[in-house]
Amino acid sequence: MRRLNLPECTSMQSYNLCLASVLDLNLKERLNRVSGFIEEVSEMYINQARVGNVYSIPPLIHPRGEDPIINADIRKSELLKLYGYHMVDRHPGRGLYDVILVAAKEQCPFCGGIGRPKSLDHYLPKANYPQYAVLPQNLVPCCRDCNTEKSNALAVAEDDQAIHPYFDDDKFFLEQWVFARVNLTRPCSLVYFSAPPIEWSDVERNRALNHFRDFNIGARYSVQAADELSALVDLRRGYLSNISPEEFSRYLASVSSSASYFSNHWKKIMYQALAQDRDFYNAPL
Ligand SMILES: [Zn+2]
């Protein structure tokens, strides 16, 4: 939903930073020996991500309790430890972790900034893709709720892939595909829904619809809107009580078109729906 700039750090810069805090010389040597493999598969990831196809990279699936070899004599657990210990907990790897996290500017890209990113999420889960455990382009800042919603579900088709904040087409970030309608209950509320443009391909439309459903965007946006709506009703009853319904509608539209909100921001969509709803802006409050 929100675009993030692609991390500038390359796969090898990240891999070597994490290796720097490995003290076991034998392990370090063995990890060094597979760096060509890591670089090669990372390049494949980036090439596939650019065309929206990372789902086509085969996942590692193995019986519980096994610790398979990924390349040469390096096991899955050793790559996961390179992330969990040498990137999350130790410098200099942690420095890169923080740079990627801070780049989200406190707004989670998956839910359109409702949540604050607390950690990095592996876009392709590390349990099934240990070779990408420390690949910067696979690490996305993510809030706790999105991390829970996303879980470790594997995309099995192009449609199933969450919108990738680093790689996906601009249309997902610049065009509007989330809308709302007003429920004139008391108190009134907003119902958000996803309606991608009909000009988009079926796959693109399905990806937007699935992203909206999988991250529970509708319910989460409505909760945000509820507080704002009650403050707005107070404003209409007080400071804005003397303006006409048409002026009130224009005021709502002006908030919606504020440049500070991205295309699918809950607040932009909320004010857009209210500005267009005759029953709302004409309602005696
Ligand atoms: Zn989120």
Side-chain angles (χ1 to χ4, degrees), residues 107-117 141-147 215 217 220:
Q107 293 180 302
C108 172
F110 292 112
C111 59
I114 290 183
R116 290 170 66 177
C142 185
C143 75
R144 203 165 286 146
D145 283 350
C146 285
N147 217 332
F215 289 97
I217 302 292
R220 294 168 70 192

Side-chain angles (χ1 to χ4, degrees), residues 49-202:
R50 287 196 198 284
V51 291
N53 271 344
V54 286
Y55 83 98
S56 66
I57 302 172
L60 172 74
I61 293 171
H62 59 85
R64 192 182 285 265
E66 278 188 11
D67 185 12
I69 283 183
I70 305 302
N71 186 252
D73 57 356
I74 291 296
R75 293 189 179 273
K76 171 180 170 176
S77 62
E78 292 169 319
L79 291 173
L80 297 191
K81 200 172 165 197
L82 194 62
Y83 173 74
Y85 195 78
H86 297 283
M87 191 173 201
V88 178
D89 285 346
R90 286 282 180 279
H91 279 284
R94 179 69 201 196
L96 173 60
Y97 183 100
D98 288 338
V99 165
I100 298 173
L101 188 60
V102 165
K105 300 192 174 107
E106 301 278 305
Q107 293 180 302
C108 172
F110 292 112
C111 59
I114 290 183
R116 290 170 66 177
K118 298 282 184 220
S119 57
L120 298 181
D121 175 66
H122 290 82
Y123 182 88
L124 288 185
K126 63 183 183 304
N128 303 96
Y129 296 91
Q131 69 271 37
Y132 302 130
V134 301
L135 173 64
Q137 290 75 18
N138 189 44
L139 294 171
V140 183
C142 185
C143 75
R144 203 165 286 146
D145 283 350
C146 285
N147 217 332
T148 312
E149 307 282 0
K150 187 170 175 284
S151 68
N152 276 341
L154 289 175
V156 293
E158 206 175 343
D159 298 18
D160 294 336
Q161 303 171 103
I163 295 168
H164 201 314
Y166 296 144
F167 290 103
D168 270 316
D169 193 282
D170 276 344
K171 58 163 63 83
F172 291 108
F173 309 99
L174 300 179
E175 295 183 35
Q176 185 176 358
W177 50 274
V178 178
F179 298 83
R181 62 176 164 267
V182 185
N183 244 350
L184 284 171
T185 45
R186 275 187 179 267
C188 63
S189 59
L190 280 138
V191 179
Y192 287 88
F193 57 96
S194 174
I198 47 169
E199 310 83 66
W200 290 14
S201 72
D202 286 349

